[in-house]
Amino acid sequence: MKKALKKMASQEVYVGIPQNENQRKAADGNAINNAELLYIQTNGARSSAMITEMNTSQDSGAIYSKAHALYVKSHGSPLMRIPPRPVIEPAIEANKKRIGELIGDAQKEALQGNTEAFQENLNKAGLYAANCAKNWFTNPKNGWAPNAPSTIKQKGSDRPLIDTSSMQNAITYVIRKKE
């Protein structure tokens, strides 16, 4: 029993886009990966003037943690007209009952000492959660602001966050040992 509990406690399922994968090619030659793009779309964006102001403050000695700097630089701004369009968290929240059931199935297997079935059920939970996040892009419950007319004209589509589906298709899951 102790061994099973230790095994359960040592595993975590993550859903999202691994940062080191799925590079996108921008028209200007700069690349932003899908993980970074999803973060910006989840939280919105700040204008370059705001980013410059923060960088100047940091250069003159203001102390910000790296996490705070990333948050402040990337958090939503009506000036840039990029409204937040969260994906992972609301998709998981909307489907937490079924995801919880799948994780519960994994826990039952671990308690019975069936390591292979435990791992299989964690994979089922991760795959289900990742698919929920992928489907969130077209789910009417997402509550996203519609694309601006200028964006529709540029993209030729009124579907927010879907152009090539690269970001949507990059969403996956991983199972890792807790650190």
Side-chain angles (χ1 to χ4, degrees), residues 30-47:
N30 292 324
I32 181 171
N33 68 32
N34 284 310
E36 293 163 336
L37 184 59
L38 183 59
Y39 180 87
I40 290 167
Q41 292 297 339
T42 297
N43 296 291
R46 294 182 80 80
S47 71

Side-chain angles (χ1 to χ4, degrees), residues 119-150:
Q119 211 58 45
E120 184 179 307
N121 280 305
L122 278 184
N123 281 309
K124 284 180 186 178
L127 181 61
Y128 180 80
N131 284 333
C132 289
K134 288 178 181 183
N135 293 334
W136 196 251
F137 285 74
T138 55
N139 189 324
K141 293 180 186 176
N142 67 28
W144 292 346
N147 281 341
S150 59

Side-chain angles (χ1 to χ4, degrees), residues 126-169:
L127 181 61
Y128 180 80
N131 284 333
C132 289
K134 288 178 181 183
N135 293 334
W136 196 251
F137 285 74
T138 55
N139 189 324
K141 293 180 186 176
N142 67 28
W144 292 346
N147 281 341
S150 59
T151 303
I152 294 170
K153 184 177 178 182
Q154 180 184 8
K155 282 178 53 173
S157 169
D158 65 351
R159 295 170 34 187
L161 300 189
I162 299 177
D163 190 3
T164 66
S165 297
S166 173
M167 181 170 55
Q168 181 182 21
N169 292 333

Side-chain angles (χ1 to χ4, degrees), residues 66-84:
K66 288 181 182 179
H68 183 262
L70 181 61
Y71 176 83
V72 172
K73 288 179 182 181
S74 300
H75 202 62
S77 170
L79 294 174
M80 291 295 289
R81 297 189 197 134
I82 300 176

